[in-house]
Amino acid sequence: MDMRKNKEKIIIAAAIVIIALLAYFGFYKCPFRLITGIPCPGCGMTRAFRALFRGDIEAAFYYHPMWPLVVLALILMGLYYLKLIKPSGKMINIAGLIAALALLICYIVRLATHTLFVI
């Protein structure tokens, strides 16, 4: 059973890497936006990280102001998987709720101000 879980984790990680690379090089389009015509809460995140990798922090915030939240989440997940931190289930739930609310508020503000529609 443990080997199956490891295999699933490897497949999920590989899928995430492939999607990230496709998005980075412009081959991936947001399925939410393709279906609804409305940008999703994460729209602009790839452009934000591309700007960040170029060293243009101002543009990164312009494309998606929540990119630091993703960086923080990735760091915390890495520390968790390396067993350097061990947060309680309650703490994980609270952090997830706060992150989701922050992303939702940001999304609503960007929709209301039309700053989400940058290409």
Side-chain angles (χ1 to χ4, degrees):
M1 187 70 153
D2 195 29
M3 190 165 192
R4 183 176 179 181
K5 277 189 173 187
N6 286 339
K7 193 174 187 180
E8 289 173 358
K9 286 181 182 180
I10 290 170
I11 290 171
I12 290 169
I16 290 170
V17 168
I18 290 169
I19 290 170
L21 287 172
L22 289 173
Y24 182 79
F25 291 110
F27 297 112
Y28 173 82
K29 300 295 180 195
C30 174
F32 185 86
R33 191 172 191 162
L34 286 174
I35 292 169
T36 66
I38 301 168
C40 75
C43 278
M45 195 64 76
T46 302
R47 285 171 280 156
F49 277 102
R50 289 176 80 179
L52 185 64
F53 293 145
R54 287 191 316 266
D56 192 349
I57 294 175
E58 183 178 345
F61 277 105
Y62 172 76
Y63 288 124
H64 203 296
M66 298 302 288
W67 66 263
L69 186 66
V70 175
V71 171
L72 178 63
L74 290 172
I75 290 169
L76 291 174
M77 285 172 43
L79 293 173
Y80 175 77
Y81 283 109
L82 292 172
K83 300 188 188 310
L84 297 174
I85 61 172
K86 186 162 172 99
S88 68
K90 185 176 181 179
M91 184 178 280
I92 292 171
N93 289 340
I94 291 171
L97 180 62
I98 291 170
L101 285 173
L103 187 61
L104 180 64
I105 290 168
C106 179
Y107 180 60
I108 291 168
V109 168
R110 292 177 78 207
L111 277 175
T113 61
H114 299 285
T115 56
L116 188 59
F117 297 97
V118 294
I119 296 175

